[in-house]
Amino acid sequence: MVSGNRDGVFRGREGERELLNSVLDAGTGVVLVDGAAGTGKTRLLAEAAAVAARRGFEVATAQDELDQPFLLARLAEREPQAPTLVVLDDLHLAEPGTLAALRALLPASSHEKVVWLLARRCGEGADRLFAAAAQRGAVRIELRPLTDNVIAELVTDLAGGIPDHDLRALASTAQGNPAALISLFDALREDGQVEISAEHASLRGDRLPRRTEALLRDRVSSLSGKARHVLQVASVLGPRFEPGDVAELLASSTAILLPALDEVIGAGVVTSLEDRLAFRHELVWRLVADSVPPPVRRALHREAGEMLLGRGDSAVTAAQHLLLGAQRGDVRSIDGLVAAAIAVLWNAPDAAAELAVRALELTDQASVLLVQRTVVAVRALTAAGKLAAAQALAQDALSRQVSPVSAAKLRHCVATTTLLGAQHAESVEITEALLAEPDLLPELVPWVEITRMMALLGHDRRRAEELAETVVRTHTGSPDDVLATALAVLAAIARDTGQPAAALELAREAAQAVTSHDLCAYPQLLLATLLSGLREFSEADSVVRRARSGPSSVVTKELMTSVVQARILLQAGRIEEAAVEARNALSVAEETGHTALVAPALAVLAMVAIHTGDLPAAIEHVERYRGRVPVDGIMFSRAYYQWADVLVSYVGFGLDKALGLLTDEYPGLVASGLFAEEPRAAGWFVRRAVEAGDERLAKAVVDRVERLAEENPAFRAVAAAALHARGLFDGDASLLERAAQQHRDLWARANAAEDLGVLLASSPDRAASVKALENALELYREIGASRDSARVLGRLRKLGRRRRAAPVRPSSGWSSLDDTERAIANLVAKGQTNRQISTQLFMSPHTVNFHLRKIFRKLGISSRVELVMRSRDDQ
């Protein structure tokens, strides 16, 4: 009946309407209306008067409290000639004489056809009148705050679209009061804060909400001084806070603060959650926090941090306050920052770096703790991927007088950053100098040995192999990280020399020997690359998932995992996802100075570009990593980069250029372990050799891959590659058909089907050729290999077959989602986070986010909440 927007669309109050209608039906009675300011009393009375007038009632209404006694006098002088509705509003403002006259009139008119509609602000006056009327049977109406569903409808009216979670949270500060809600949306509209997109309303973040802030500030200012004081202290603790923490900072108790807490909750500034209290909206929280003078705010943060440290709470939580409140010379607070940095070094390296650097800034240059804190800061910066800053800080400290112990720690940090920056020779030099020192800390020795072995793997393979073999012989006790690194180094060398069985066995041992998350998961990720190369995708995914789910969030580990995941996705035919993963890895690697991981990301992107027909990008990627000499061969073999170079050179510059690389720059490529790391390369090389009429090269490739298959009978991907190569070399359709059936990745299977179709094209059985080519086309389309699809379409046209373009999926709606997108949407609807979804679907969180953006675009939505709602509607 009332409680609506300014355009007259009424929301709520159906029960109140029914009560009023029943009294009007009776034609006599008294209705008492109680309500707080803004709850719609005046509007309710006006609507009731309009309804009564339409039903033939005379309506007598006082203009204001001054007109009330005159109206009552007129009613006392004459009897109504027709049914009458008497409307008296704001009786809490009426004079005592007016209320006395009204008390006298009500019983006297009980037999007449008069309906009295009396309203006041609840609890602010006219108590005796309302109590007496209630005793004589008056109907009571209390205008309570609007219910959540009515508020949702009203907010939709006011906003002009379905509100998102953030807008609904801000609306909740009105506490179901329609007038307050309308005022709020007037302010939001004046500030231009509401944005409408596809019938959905949200708050804009690119404009200052001056009018809205002023409105909210007025609401906070209307609170008592005690309540405002409590709010200010609570705001320092954050958007959510424990009442007990506020009480402790105020040297009080929760019981004593209870009235003030009740007041701020009742005012809609704060709400109660299951385990704590929270400001209803971030805007309200920031307004209150900004009202605390900066020096006072810093002091409160310092006191909050020390309070949390003192009672043994999380050092990380305490450090968040100490960051904002600690000052130079504040020993306890600075120690708290350092302790927190050490506590979160591996699982939150960005936070650790911020904490450690801030502690260092606050440390006096003459302090005996300066170097120790520098070591913590350098390690935290390295873990956070800020390699240049870490190296600069370490070298600056080393330029001054420092103890041998601290110097060794700082020099090892420099060795680590140079290793990650692909400066392998420099890293080797530093680590070997450290290991030559007789007094090197025992706990530092293993990490220096690990760094040296990894640097040697990229710098001097012979020495790396000798050192790793020595470690394996001498480390006969329990598994440890030095042993794991040595085994991984030997596995990488075995991979590159064409010993896939030995490489896989060594990599499995290495992954099992790892005992610390500090190792950045290299042994596990190397195992994943070997498994994926052999097309054992399920096991490879499982290994990557274990690596991702480990306790470490060190940037180097995250980057290495992304690079490995990108190539696994590429080899599994998930080209678009591979591109997303590789681009993200490349961006972060370049930004953080992880030069050693730039080449692997570029190699994957070059392969993606070839598949999708983006030749300029493929050439650019290869030229960029070719310039990084030597390509280290730590993550992927050097043969893999060479193979990508040859492939891109063929597509971009022709057969002579590609085969010239084999002679001039990569003479050992065919004899390497490439065909076990990338089995589909064997068929490609034979195809090119046959095309060039180079029987010697074709035979060398066939011999090499057949020997690998014979020596490694358990590897089905290599066996399929051998069938494929032999079938091409001998022109044997039956072998190519078997290869097309047995290949373990879609691209290789499509290659074999295409080769079969080309071979059969010159035979009388052209139908078999068409069938093979159509099978190849479907496989290429499935993985998104547009360049290969176009080539096969051309072959089919030459055979007289016109294939339609691939069926176009709808551009919007649920039917536009592919299988991966639909799986992600279903998991979001079940309340899972991006990280949880990534674990289930074997992809990184940012790949999940990439798909989510596509889902939002296709469904015309902008949030996970809307996706959940759409999913439920669809079901």
Side-chain angles (χ1 to χ4, degrees), residues 359-693:
L360 194 59
E361 291 171 349
L362 296 173
T363 301
D364 193 289
Q365 292 296 301
S367 172
V368 295
L369 297 173
L370 180 65
V371 175
Q372 178 184 328
R373 290 173 181 169
T374 300
V375 171
V376 174
V378 170
R379 285 178 170 171
L381 287 167
T382 304
K386 305 178 190 300
L387 302 185
Q391 191 172 121
L393 184 58
Q395 290 176 334
D396 179 65
L398 288 167
S399 68
R400 301 192 297 272
Q401 190 71 29
V402 297
S403 71
V405 170
S406 295
K409 292 177 180 177
L410 290 169
R411 287 163 63 198
H412 177 247
C413 290
V414 173
T416 301
T417 58
T418 53
L419 168 64
L420 298 176
Q423 298 168 280
H424 301 126
E426 186 175 346
S427 184
V428 170
E429 182 181 350
I430 296 171
T431 52
E432 291 190 336
L434 281 170
L435 290 167
E437 295 181 0
D439 297 326
L440 187 63
L441 283 174
E443 61 266 28
L444 190 59
V445 170
W447 301 113
V448 178
E449 288 186 346
I450 287 169
T451 306
R452 177 171 65 154
M453 272 191 286
M454 294 300 297
L456 281 171
L457 182 60
H459 175 62
D460 188 332
R461 286 295 175 93
R462 181 187 59 79
R463 288 186 58 205
E465 185 174 17
E466 290 174 354
L467 179 58
E469 287 176 344
T470 301
V471 169
V472 172
R473 281 197 309 271
T474 57
H475 284 242
T476 56
S478 304
D480 62 58
D481 295 312
V482 177
L483 175 61
T485 305
L487 290 166
V489 165
L490 293 174
I493 293 171
R495 170 199 65 189
D496 298 351
T497 53
Q499 304 172 68
L504 192 59
E505 182 180 355
L506 287 163
R508 289 192 195 280
E509 288 184 49
Q512 292 170 357
V514 171
T515 62
S516 170
H517 57 263
D518 300 356
L519 193 53
C520 299
Y522 176 71
Q524 290 176 308
L525 295 174
L526 178 64
L527 173 60
T529 66
L530 294 171
L531 290 167
S532 178
L534 296 168
R535 296 335 189 231
E536 301 293 339
F537 294 124
S538 178
E539 190 178 353
D541 281 334
S542 179
V543 173
V544 171
R545 181 168 54 178
R546 286 200 302 275
R548 280 197 191 278
S549 62
S552 172
S553 295
V554 171
V555 169
T556 302
K557 188 201 89 167
E558 298 288 341
L559 266 175
M560 290 168 62
T561 307
S562 284
V563 164
V564 169
Q565 181 76 81
R567 196 174 76 161
I568 292 174
L569 290 167
L570 175 66
Q571 291 171 328
R574 293 156 65 179
I575 294 178
E576 191 175 21
E577 293 174 55
V580 172
E581 198 80 46
R583 287 193 196 102
N584 176 75
L586 178 62
S587 173
V588 177
E590 291 180 325
E591 179 186 338
T592 59
H594 281 78
T595 308
L597 295 173
V598 169
L602 287 170
V604 172
L605 288 173
M607 288 292 195
V608 167
I610 284 295
H611 283 315
T612 56
D614 189 352
L615 180 59
I619 294 171
E620 179 188 351
H621 296 322
V622 169
E623 287 179 347
R624 286 185 62 193
Y625 78 63
R626 191 191 294 134
R628 299 176 183 275
V629 178
V631 175
D632 58 51
I634 293 177
M635 294 307 301
F636 308 149
S637 73
R638 292 174 182 172
Y640 184 79
Y641 300 105
Q642 295 169 3
W643 142 244
D645 191 356
V646 172
L647 179 59
V648 171
S649 294
Y650 170 73
V651 175
F653 307 107
L655 183 60
D656 290 342
K657 172 69 173 177
L659 296 186
L661 285 176
L662 291 180
T663 303
D664 301 333
E665 297 190 40
Y666 310 138
L669 181 56
V670 169
S672 72
L674 175 65
F675 303 138
E677 185 179 10
E678 193 56 75
R680 61 188 180 183
W684 188 90
F685 274 112
V686 173
R687 196 180 308 116
R688 300 289 79 83
V690 169
E691 181 183 345

Side-chain angles (χ1 to χ4, degrees), residues 278-290:
F279 286 86
R280 281 195 173 267
H281 194 271
E282 183 179 351
L283 192 56
V284 180
W285 168 58
R286 294 200 178 279
L287 280 172
V288 175
D290 289 345

Side-chain angles (χ1 to χ4, degrees), residues 116-354:
W116 295 85
L117 185 52
L118 313 178
R120 66 163 183 173
R121 284 190 190 172
C122 185
E124 294 190 19
D127 292 342
R128 289 180 59 192
L129 170 68
F130 271 55
Q135 276 189 334
R136 288 192 292 269
V139 174
R140 297 292 298 267
I141 292 178
E142 183 177 353
L143 296 181
R144 298 181 179 276
L146 297 177
T147 59
D148 289 344
N149 61 325
V150 174
I151 283 291
E153 295 173 351
L154 183 52
V155 170
T156 300
D157 292 339
L158 294 168
I162 301 170
D164 65 5
H165 175 77
D166 192 40
L167 190 54
R168 291 198 303 272
L170 184 57
S172 74
T173 62
Q175 288 289 81
N177 185 301
L181 196 59
I182 290 170
S183 297
L184 173 63
F185 275 87
D186 280 339
L188 288 171
R189 189 172 287 103
E190 187 176 324
D191 287 331
Q193 284 289 300
V194 179
E195 184 175 41
I196 307 298
S197 175
E199 299 183 357
H200 290 77
S202 59
L203 288 174
R204 300 183 62 160
D206 58 347
R207 299 187 181 183
L208 290 174
R210 290 191 173 90
R211 177 74 181 84
T212 309
E213 286 185 351
L215 177 69
L216 296 173
R217 194 177 292 112
D218 288 344
R219 288 189 191 169
V220 173
S221 298
S222 67
L223 298 170
S224 68
K226 181 70 172 177
R228 291 199 305 275
H229 187 196
V230 167
L231 274 182
Q232 287 180 314
V233 174
S235 72
V236 171
L237 295 171
R240 299 182 178 194
F241 58 91
E242 295 276 3
D245 290 344
V246 178
E248 188 170 345
L249 284 173
L250 289 169
S252 182
S253 70
T254 307
I256 293 174
L257 297 185
L258 191 56
L261 293 171
D262 280 343
E263 183 180 350
V264 298
I265 292 172
V269 178
V270 167
T271 187
S272 177
L273 305 178
E274 286 186 7
D275 58 342
R276 60 189 63 196
L277 299 180
F279 286 86
R280 281 195 173 267
H281 194 271
E282 183 179 351
L283 192 56
V284 180
W285 168 58
R286 294 200 178 279
L287 280 172
V288 175
D290 289 345
S291 72
V292 183
V296 177
R297 193 184 315 138
R298 284 196 297 272
L300 285 170
H301 276 299
R302 187 165 61 254
E303 290 175 11
E306 292 179 354
M307 173 189 73
L308 295 170
L309 280 177
R311 69 186 189 204
D313 277 18
S314 165
V316 181
T317 306
Q320 292 171 350
H321 293 291
L322 296 177
L323 267 175
L324 299 170
Q327 295 178 314
R328 184 175 294 277
D330 184 353
V331 176
R332 178 175 169 79
S333 296
I334 298 172
D335 284 344
L337 290 174
V338 175
I342 294 171
V344 301
L345 183 61
W346 303 116
N347 58 11
D350 279 329
E354 185 180 6

Side-chain angles (χ1 to χ4, degrees), residues 775-818:
N775 288 340
L777 180 61
E778 294 304 318
L779 289 168
Y780 285 138
R781 282 177 170 174
E782 184 177 343
I783 63 176
S786 53
R787 175 179 170 274
D788 299 307
S789 297
R791 183 181 62 247
V792 174
L793 280 170
R795 296 188 191 282
L796 285 167
R797 280 194 294 270
K798 288 180 180 179
L799 292 173
R801 291 297 297 263
R802 297 282 177 178
R803 282 290 302 253
R804 295 180 180 178
V808 179
R809 190 185 296 272
S811 60
S812 62
W814 284 102
S815 58
S816 69
L817 304 185
D818 61 28

